[in-house]
Amino acid sequence: MEKLVVHGGNRLFGDIDISGAKNAAVAIIPAALMASEGTCHIDNIPSIEDVHCLERITKSLGCKIKTNVNSLDIDSSEITNLDACTEDVRRMRASYYFIGALLGRFKKARVELPGGCPIGVRPIDQHIKGFEALGATVKIEHGAVNIKADRLIGTNIFFDVVSVGATINVMLAATLAEGITTLENAAREPHVVDVANFLNFMGANVKGAGTDIIRITGVEKLYGCSYSVIPDQIEAGTFMIAAAATGGEITVKNVIPKHLESISAKLIEMGAEVIEQDDSVTVRSKGKLKGVNIKTNPYPGFPTDVQQPMSTLLCVAEGRSIVTESIWESRFKHVDELKKMGADVKVEGRTAIIEGREKLTGAVVKATDLRAGAAMVIAGLLAEGRTEIHSIEHIDRGYPNIEVKFQKLGAKIYRETIKE
Ligand code: EPU
């Protein structure tokens, strides 16, 4: 087991290359299984535990995979197993994309129910509603989704909630359905668009991704292709917040500034300077920042995945901030850890009321989930003294080499093995 040790108080300066988007890569890898001919070469794959987990699942289904530093070659011409029921499937959320991918190509699959961060109830009823509308029969038995269809036939599907996972999963299956499928009230996140683009590179016909209506004209077959994953909006947001939190200047490179607008706008409202270039964004901050109110929302609103790191920053901003989490009902578990460092936060249901303090002080804390882990790293960086962060396996699921990237910016942060 490992922990991160942070000696806080250093202002961070420099440039950092942002990796490929986790939430795009974790859908694109299962989607690659739908190519019945040729190899998918995928670049800009982040080196994170969730991706390694998917590589293992993909291999267990019979795909041949070649891994390079930040790329993957997936040959799925000979899938031998339609039963994805392993510990890896249970551990992570995105394993649910094997349902849509296998259903689309083989019209049947058995996939264990997914795990993922403990941030609230995570139903998959909208995924199932979409698959059933396409003509599939779904049974949940012994903790697994058993799905099959004689034929998949395109139809109109109106999602009851805006769901990234359901939009992508049903889009995967519909790509190889007969006729036209229209997804309404679809999620508009950049990673939804990235998956649609990848499918189109494979020979699919998906239009409208990035709006709330996606129209998919089914094709008979998909093929291998070369593709590069978009940059990670959430990793970029985390480093932008770190610049503001430490009173430094960081340029996040290899990003799409448009994807970061809601984060940039909040940092500007707090008093930080944000300068957008073509494919980079610089955040600079010198003085004390002001508290602001934040409400998380589906894209283009403020992303729930940046709420936790941002609420750490608000703990040392001047005045009161109110943070409302409208996506997940249990995404304030980091607050108890922040309190150990002197933060003044009261959580009432889905709202956190934060009274800004002069400073936080180092403590022994834990990462309760992935983005809570990022929030604790930011807290350690801005706090006075030494912070130890435990349970960092959550952080490794989604941030590639977090300590190495922060060291490059001047942070005193190290990974240590915990002696039993
Ligand atoms: N929902 C339903 N029924 C469904 C699906 C979702 O009620 O069938 C509800 C959820 O309970 C939630 C809301 O709809 O309240 C949105 O959930 P969504 O389906 O969009 O979330 P997800 O696909 O499970 C992805 C990301 C999350 C991110 C959310 C929201 C992946 C693997 N995960 O989850 O990322 O918070 O979208 O943007 O893409 C993270 O990276 O730390 C993370 C948790």
Side-chain angles (χ1 to χ4, degrees), residues 29 45-61 63 65-68 71-72 74 88 92 98:
I29 296 169
I45 291 278
S47 180
I48 50 176
E49 191 43 40
D50 269 9
V51 161
H52 304 322
C53 224
L54 286 173
E55 287 167 13
R56 291 190 292 270
I57 301 169
T58 308
K59 275 187 195 155
S60 77
L61 300 177
C63 292
I65 299 201
K66 227 165 60 202
T67 33
N68 305 305
S71 71
L72 279 180
I74 305 179
D88 284 324
M92 65 176 311
F98 287 105

Side-chain angles (χ1 to χ4, degrees), residues 3 13 24 47 65 75 107 119 124 126 150 206 232 249 253 259 275 294 317 323 332 342 363 378:
K3 64 184 176 189
F13 290 96
S47 180
I65 299 201
D75 172 357
K107 311 291 175 268
I119 50 182
I124 58 163
Q126 297 302 304
D150 294 330
V206 181
D232 197 304
E249 178 172 334
K253 288 171 46 188
H259 295 170
I275 304 137
I294 286 179
V323 178
F332 284 124
I378 305 276

Side-chain angles (χ1 to χ4, degrees), residues 242-355:
T246 64
E249 178 172 334
I250 297 177
T251 299
V252 289
K253 288 171 46 188
N254 176 33
V255 296
I256 300 171
K258 172 114 195 87
H259 295 170
L260 302 170
E261 275 173 355
S262 61
I263 304 163
S264 299
K266 276 296 157 191
L267 289 172
I268 292 168
E269 197 181 326
M270 293 179 75
E273 228 180 300
V274 180
I275 304 137
E276 281 185 11
Q277 292 87 224
D278 285 347
D279 63 354
S280 63
V281 172
T282 302
V283 177
R284 187 187 295 151
S285 146
K286 284 198 189 91
K288 187 89 184 155
L289 298 170
K290 297 196 293 284
V292 292
N293 296 337
I294 286 179
K295 185 168 184 194
T296 63
N297 267 310
Y299 188 82
F302 192 89
T304 169
D305 297 342
V306 182
Q307 176 267 108
Q308 291 158 299
M310 190 64 160
S311 51
T312 298
L313 177 59
L314 295 174
C315 289
V316 291
E318 230 158 45
R320 171 179 294 185
S321 301
I322 297 177
V323 178
T324 309
E325 173 56 62
S326 46
I327 311 289
W328 302 113
E329 80 264 22
S330 220
R331 218 172 194 182
F332 284 124
K333 291 196 179 131
H334 59 303
V335 164
D336 281 342
E337 305 303 305
L338 287 171
K339 283 184 180 169
K340 294 178 189 163
M341 302 176 75
D344 182 351
V345 187
K346 205 159 90 196
V347 176
E348 284 175 6
R350 285 176 173 232
T351 302
I353 301 148
I354 305 175
E355 304 290 347

Side-chain angles (χ1 to χ4, degrees), residues 29-169:
I29 296 169
L33 250 77
M34 297 173 75
S36 41
E37 227 177 83
T39 299
C40 289
H41 174 78
I42 311 161
D43 277 318
N44 210 25
I45 291 278
S47 180
I48 50 176
E49 191 43 40
D50 269 9
V51 161
H52 304 322
C53 224
L54 286 173
E55 287 167 13
R56 291 190 292 270
I57 301 169
T58 308
K59 275 187 195 155
S60 77
L61 300 177
C63 292
K64 294 187 191 77
I65 299 201
K66 227 165 60 202
T67 33
N68 305 305
V69 184
N70 283 315
S71 71
L72 279 180
D73 287 293
I74 305 179
D75 172 357
S76 51
S77 49
E78 282 173 40
I79 299 238
T80 48
N81 176 18
L82 302 181
D83 194 310
C85 293
T86 61
E87 176 59 28
D88 284 324
V89 177
R90 289 191 290 274
R91 269 175 64 188
M92 65 176 311
R93 195 76 204 150
S95 53
Y96 54 29
Y97 291 132
F98 287 105
I99 310 173
L102 293 172
L103 175 68
R105 182 166 162 199
F106 298 101
K107 311 291 175 268
K108 66 173 184 177
R110 182 165 172 266
V111 180
E112 288 223 38
L113 287 164
C117 282
I119 50 182
V121 181
R122 301 186 77 173
I124 58 163
D125 57 299
Q126 297 302 304
H127 304 231
I128 292 172
K129 165 177 155 165
F131 297 139
E132 286 178 338
L134 291 173
T137 311
V138 183
K139 281 194 191 138
I140 312 277
E141 288 166 335
H142 306 293
V145 178
N146 250 313
I147 191 159
K148 60 176 189 238
D150 294 330
R151 294 165 68 190
L152 292 177
I153 302 189
T155 184
N156 271 28
I157 298 163
F158 193 105
F159 291 115
D160 301 333
V161 292
V162 179
S163 159
V164 170
T167 302
I168 294 179
N169 225 347

